[in-house]
């Protein structure tokens, strides 16, 4: 069973590339981020014709997460239980949730597609929101695994955090000045390890970036960032037999600024019948 995550940076712009890649790489389940559309705007037909069922969560032209799967998607959940919201200029606990988290179960494995808030700038309210978002998700993760320590669980997506100095090749990210690399953000990411998750890709792919900005020739100069991760429980990690970062997907016409991250699992994924997509 091949499972992947990819910040596609507008699915309506890149659905042809995404579907071609799914078929070429024999991907069973793909978690997507930054789809940037509502469910009724999603290019469903291309995925369905290729044999993929869809679960979609998008509210507007920003953010948005989705799954494409050749396996039946069960227990679809929009947002994690305690997910905080955000509205610029507003205060208080009851802010509207953004389309940043979508959970599904496929072949008995619990998967989440996550688009972690960017943070924007040190001292910005969006950074406080980001840190709170990660804190609450880590708490929920801890609760899920306390309830079922044998749960094969993976949190996948664009985390907008570079946890190690070796994950930072873009010179515009400066310690003490930039988000993504601050001690607070790195501590928030590390909390998922204490919650029971581990990066299941890094042991097999110790180096390499997953994001290169469109500006300043970042990709030709290989000035990228490693900010896309698959964080798995011990039960999930035991299933992983291989992993890869598909750097070549940053090449060619109209690429996303992110590339896919893929894991191979020792799970038999048999084809099923697909009737219709799930949309939210």
């Amino acid at each position: 069973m091949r499972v992947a995550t990819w910040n596609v940076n507008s699915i309506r712009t890149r659905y042809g590339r995404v579907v071609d890649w799914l078929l070429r790489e024999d991907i069973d389940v793909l978690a997507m981020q930054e789809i940037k559309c509502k469910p009724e705007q999603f290019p469903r037909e291309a995925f369905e014709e290729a044999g993929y069922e869809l679960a979609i969560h998008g509210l507007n032209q920003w953010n948005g997460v989705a799954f494409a799967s050749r396996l039946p998607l069960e227990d679809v959940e929009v947002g994690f239980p305690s997910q905080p919201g955000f509205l610029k200029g507003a205060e208080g606990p009851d802010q509207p949730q953004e389309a940043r988290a979508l959970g599904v179960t496929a072949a008995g494995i619990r998967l989440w597609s996550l688009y972690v808030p960017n943070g924007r700038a040190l001292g910005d309210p969006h950074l406080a929101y980001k840190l709170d978002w990660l804190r609450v998700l880590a708490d929920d993760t801890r609760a899920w695994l306390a309830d079922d320590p044998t749960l094969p669980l993976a949190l996948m997506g664009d985390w907008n955090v570079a946890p190690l100095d070796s994950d930072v090749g873009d010179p515009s990210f400066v310690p003490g000045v930039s988000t993504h690399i601050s001690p607070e953000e790195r501590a928030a990411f590390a909390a998922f390890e204490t919650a029971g998750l581990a990066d299941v890709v890094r042991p097999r792919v110790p180096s390499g970036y997953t994001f290169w900005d469109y500006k300043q020739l970042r990709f030709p100069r290989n000035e990228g960032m490693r900010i896309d991760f698959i964080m798995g429980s011990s039960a999930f990690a035991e299933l992983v037999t291989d992993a890869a970062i598909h750097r070549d997907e940053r090449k060619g016409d109209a690429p996303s600024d992110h590339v896919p991250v893929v894991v191979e699992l020792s799970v038999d994924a048999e084809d099923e019948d697909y009737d219709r997509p799930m949309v939210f």
Side-chain angles (χ1 to χ4, degrees), residues 27 120 172 189 235 245:
I27 302 298
R120 297 178 183 167
S172 67
F189 186 88
I245 296 172

Side-chain angles (χ1 to χ4, degrees), residues 11-240:
I11 191 60
R12 288 180 289 177
T13 300
R14 277 172 258 284
Y15 69 89
R17 282 191 69 133
V18 174
V19 172
D20 287 348
W21 178 81
L22 284 170
L23 296 174
R24 186 172 67 250
E25 297 297 331
D26 195 26
I27 302 298
D28 293 297
V29 183
L30 173 64
M32 291 173 275
Q33 302 85 42
E34 268 200 292
I35 61 170
K36 295 184 175 179
C37 68
K38 298 177 181 179
E40 60 268 25
Q41 298 170 319
F42 196 99
R44 301 183 189 87
E45 186 175 351
F47 286 85
E48 292 168 354
E49 289 180 352
Y52 287 86
E53 177 179 338
L54 297 169
I56 305 164
H57 177 37
L59 300 175
N60 48 41
Q61 74 272 30
W62 309 111
N63 310 317
V65 284
F67 278 95
S69 176
R70 297 194 295 200
L71 303 169
L73 296 176
E74 303 172 325
D75 302 322
V76 178
E77 186 174 357
V78 173
F80 49 90
S82 305
Q83 182 178 327
F86 181 81
L87 181 64
K88 186 176 181 180
E91 297 181 0
D94 298 321
Q95 305 308 318
Q97 286 189 1
E98 298 178 306
R100 293 187 177 274
L102 182 66
V104 300
T105 299
I109 299 172
R110 190 61 177 165
L111 303 170
W112 282 88
S113 180
L114 303 173
Y115 180 42
V116 176
N118 179 281
R120 297 178 183 167
L122 298 184
D124 192 289
H126 204 258
L127 179 59
Y129 162 56
K130 176 181 187 176
L131 295 174
D132 190 44
W133 200 94
L134 288 168
R135 177 189 60 78
V136 170
L137 177 58
D139 287 345
D140 284 347
T141 300
R142 196 173 290 108
W144 293 329
L145 294 178
D147 184 60
D148 183 2
T150 65
L151 177 67
L153 167 70
L155 274 54
M156 312 185 292
D158 177 358
W159 290 74
N160 272 317
V161 178
L164 303 179
D165 288 346
S166 59
D167 297 331
V168 184
D170 187 329
S172 67
F173 286 82
V174 179
V177 175
S178 307
T179 60
H180 294 57
I181 60 174
S182 71
E184 294 81 5
E185 290 165 284
R186 287 177 167 179
F189 186 88
F192 288 88
E193 296 180 353
T194 61
L197 303 184
D199 183 343
V200 299
V201 175
R202 198 183 296 273
R204 293 167 174 82
V205 190
S207 62
Y209 304 130
T210 64
F211 163 84
W212 295 261
D213 200 310
Y214 291 125
K215 299 176 290 186
Q216 303 296 320
L217 297 175
R218 294 298 186 215
F219 184 68
R221 294 173 175 170
N222 198 31
E223 295 175 342
M225 301 282 285
R226 188 168 183 154
I227 58 176
D228 301 84
F229 299 98
I230 299 177
M231 301 291 289
S233 65
S234 58
F236 182 89
E238 289 172 1
L239 299 174
V240 177

